[in-house]
Amino acid sequence: MFPCHRHSPLPQSRRAFLRQAGCGFGAVALAALMADEQLAAPIAPADPLAPKPPHFKPRAKNVIFLYMDGGPSQVDTFDPKPRLNQEHGRPFAMKMEPTQFNNNGNTLGSPWKFQQYGESGIYVSELFPHVARHVDKLAVIRSMTSEFPEHTSANYFLHTGTAIQGRPSIGAWLGYGLGSECRDLPGFVVINGGLIPVGGLDNFTSGFLPASYQGSIFTADNPPVANIVRQEPSDGLQRNKLALLKQLDEQVADRLGRVDAVESAITNYELAYRMQSAVPDLMDLKNETEATQRLYGLDTKTKGTASFARQCLLARRLVERGVRFVELTCPNLGHDRWDQHNNLEKGHADNALAVDQPIAGLLADLSQRGLLDETLVVWSGEFGRTPFAQGSNGRDHNQFAFSLWVAGGGVQGGRIYGQTDEYGYKVVENKLEIHDLHATLLHLLGLDHTRLTFRFSGRDIRLTDVRGSVVHDIIA
């Protein structure tokens, strides 16, 4: 018989009721239901950020993602096409696919000259004179494609491997797969340069992974996050408050089971406490020499350069402390990122001037400190731009071909991979998609992209979905 409530001093939980009901068969049924991951919330490990072993020996430990939001033009940066200048102003000779705005003009030559650099002789636009000096460190991919011609879906695709809102970002996947080597800072940090990308913070979400893996948004200013300074008069008082919060959360967890939202809250409270000591040290640049600060361009007066220089220097300091994935976003220059539907010449010139010296400084600094060998640096937007004009002086979105580059962490520098047609419009050799980029980055970090899975909605889901191949030709 069921126990009578008037004889029970305390209300029973559902677990206690089912355990006693029907000689315990109710508890067996509950256990079976909880084992079905379609019905139960994911269970977070005791310490989700603890370091985890890779699948095989890694070539890299960390990633710095230089996110060029908006879509830099491949034919104006790393994929020179002399034919565009030869036919500038003439009707475009290839069939034009539908574009985002369908305001298509004639063939548009590049306003910038290209020059060969380094022992590899790779051509780089005069937009990037500083980065060009490091071309022998870069694997330049000219054959990347996207499935989406508009920013929101393309941004999600670049970050999460799908155009669906709310899926885990690659930084969250790395935290889930490898944990973090830093106990006092988040494993996935996004430095906000002043422009939240189209698609918003869902570009950096943990999705269905435990919430402890989501990106933490820092600014390049000091302090980089709100409420980092303790409000209590003593450390002991703050610890007492944290202990009470943990006790209350654990009581909820005992009633509801090990629910991710509760487990992650406990983990995040503790991390926030430790960050109070770690963040001031991170942001204190007094121990950086004047030469280092000049190398990045912190003393430069050009709009946006000093701001992005600080982002790049902070990125180096973050990976130095073991942060797994650091993403940098574009500085606010008063116009629309790299998304030049008109006024291409001024827009791309402003953007390049803001990021060129800081990125070159980052590559040089990582290299001289021995950190580039274990840090992957990735430069990419979400798609490219058309080789014909939008209107008269802009370029529309182009998902059929775009360029990016990767350096460090096991990458073969001084390498060009892939080729586009004579106009830089479509890929004609070694076509890649974002899944291939993700598979390659995971591989260099010691993870097999087919084995890095999470059970959600009744199936094992991975960053690369059911696609993706490692690009071994760019691996040293």
Side-chain angles (χ1 to χ4, degrees):
M1 294 181 63
F2 299 147
C4 179
H5 284 292
R6 67 186 177 195
H7 297 303
S8 302
L10 293 173
Q12 285 188 309
S13 69
R14 288 173 291 179
R15 277 182 173 75
F17 174 79
L18 288 169
R19 192 177 299 116
Q20 297 177 47
C23 300
F25 287 110
V28 174
L30 176 65
L33 288 174
M34 294 301 288
D36 186 342
E37 289 175 312
Q38 295 183 65
L39 301 176
I43 297 175
D47 183 1
L49 295 176
K52 304 170 190 175
H55 296 146
F56 45 83
K57 185 177 180 180
R59 304 293 296 273
K61 294 181 180 179
N62 318 93
V63 177
I64 296 175
F65 180 26
L66 306 169
Y67 174 37
M68 299 294 105
D69 178 19
S73 168
Q74 70 281 3
V75 296
D76 295 305
T77 54
F78 294 98
D79 193 5
K81 296 297 174 183
R83 189 163 179 176
L84 289 180
N85 291 80
Q86 295 166 10
E87 300 181 13
H88 175 73
R90 301 180 194 171
F92 191 61
M94 294 178 65
K95 177 187 175 183
M96 293 180 180
E97 304 287 352
T99 59
Q100 180 75 12
F101 293 98
N102 282 326
N103 180 24
N104 299 338
N106 293 326
T107 304
L108 182 62
S110 177
W112 298 280
K113 296 177 181 179
F114 282 76
Q115 182 179 328
Q116 288 179 294
Y117 290 87
E119 294 182 6
S120 57
I122 294 176
Y123 280 93
V124 180
S125 163
E126 61 183 337
L127 281 172
F128 294 106
H130 293 279
V131 170
R133 297 171 192 160
H134 299 274
V135 74
D136 288 334
K137 300 182 179 76
L138 313 183
V140 178
I141 296 173
R142 292 177 173 171
S143 56
M144 186 56 68
T145 62
S146 179
E147 295 180 6
F148 306 96
E150 56 85 24
H151 293 292
T152 303
S153 296
N155 281 338
Y156 290 154
F157 192 45
L158 174 65
H159 284 87
T160 73
T162 178
I164 300 173
Q165 183 180 22
R167 289 298 179 93
S169 185
I170 182 173
W173 277 109
L174 284 180
Y176 167 67
L178 294 174
S180 175
E181 294 184 344
C182 182
R183 297 289 302 139
D184 301 329
L185 292 165
F188 175 17
V189 172
V190 180
I191 304 180
N192 177 13
L195 291 170
I196 298 297
V198 178
L201 299 181
D202 274 322
N203 287 292
F204 320 119
T205 182
S206 59
F208 47 70
L209 297 177
S212 298
Y213 301 125
Q214 71 182 0
S216 295
I217 311 298
F218 282 27
T219 70
D221 299 322
N222 195 8
V225 289
N227 304 316
I228 199 65
V229 178
R230 187 184 70 218
Q231 299 298 312
E232 291 77 11
S234 71
D235 181 70
L237 181 58
Q238 186 182 32
R239 289 299 308 170
N240 289 341
K241 288 185 176 181
L242 286 173
L244 176 60
L245 283 171
K246 183 175 181 180
Q247 180 183 1
L248 294 172
D249 283 338
E250 287 179 342
Q251 288 175 2
V252 173
D254 288 340
R255 293 198 307 271
L256 301 180
R258 313 312 289 183
V259 178
D260 169 47
V262 179
E263 294 293 314
S264 295
I266 295 172
T267 300
N268 290 342
Y269 289 146
E270 293 297 324
L271 176 59
Y273 172 76
R274 296 193 299 271
M275 284 172 63
Q276 290 179 158
S277 297
V279 167
D281 177 67
L282 169 72
M283 302 302 295
D284 185 2
L285 304 183
K286 291 178 183 176
N287 61 344
E288 301 288 348
T289 65
E290 289 187 14
T292 297
Q293 297 188 42
R294 286 196 304 271
L295 176 68
Y296 282 86
L298 263 73
D299 59 339
T300 305
K301 303 302 181 184
T302 308
K303 187 173 184 180
T305 304
S307 170
F308 197 75
R310 190 172 177 88
Q311 285 194 61
C312 287
L313 182 52
L314 288 175
R316 189 219 81 203
R317 292 169 68 86
L318 284 164
V319 297
E320 219 170 16
R321 287 158 172 76
V323 174
R324 187 70 66 187
F325 192 97
V326 182
E327 180 162 351
L328 277 58
T329 62
C330 293
N332 189 344
L333 302 179
H335 54 68
D336 201 8
R337 306 169 175 86
W338 290 90
D339 192 29
Q340 270 72 66
H341 291 276
N342 54 50
N343 208 1
L344 170 74
E345 193 164 355
K346 175 173 172 50
H348 265 43
D350 287 349
N351 285 313
L353 191 60
V355 304
D356 178 41
Q357 182 181 348
I359 291 173
L362 173 65
L363 292 171
D365 199 17
L366 289 171
S367 182
Q368 68 189 16
R369 293 172 186 268
L371 289 170
L372 191 60
D373 292 338
E374 59 186 38
T375 303
L376 280 169
V377 182
V378 183
W379 183 96
S380 181
E382 65 269 37
F383 42 54
R385 309 206 77 83
T386 56
F388 47 84
Q390 177 181 345
S392 61
N393 64 350
R395 298 192 192 276
D396 210 333
H397 306 168
N398 181 34
Q399 74 271 34
F400 303 111
F402 66 101
S403 297
L404 60 90
W405 56 256
V406 186
V411 170
Q412 181 181 345
R415 178 84 163 87
I416 294 174
Y417 185 86
Q419 184 178 336
T420 56
D421 57 53
E422 293 179 284
Y423 298 96
Y425 189 26
K426 295 183 178 181
V427 174
V428 296
E429 181 183 299
N430 292 329
K431 181 179 179 180
L432 296 179
E433 58 183 11
I434 296 299
H435 298 299
D436 302 318
L437 174 65
H438 289 163
T440 305
L441 297 180
L442 293 178
H443 177 84
L444 289 167
L445 288 150
L447 294 172
D448 180 345
H449 71 104
T450 66
R451 294 168 56 192
L452 183 65
T453 63
F454 190 87
R455 191 75 174 174
F456 175 72
S457 193
R459 72 181 182 97
D460 292 332
I461 297 181
R462 68 190 205 212
L463 173 63
T464 53
D465 195 34
V466 295
R467 295 148 68 180
S469 298
V470 176
V471 187
H472 290 281
D473 287 346
I474 69 167
I475 297 176

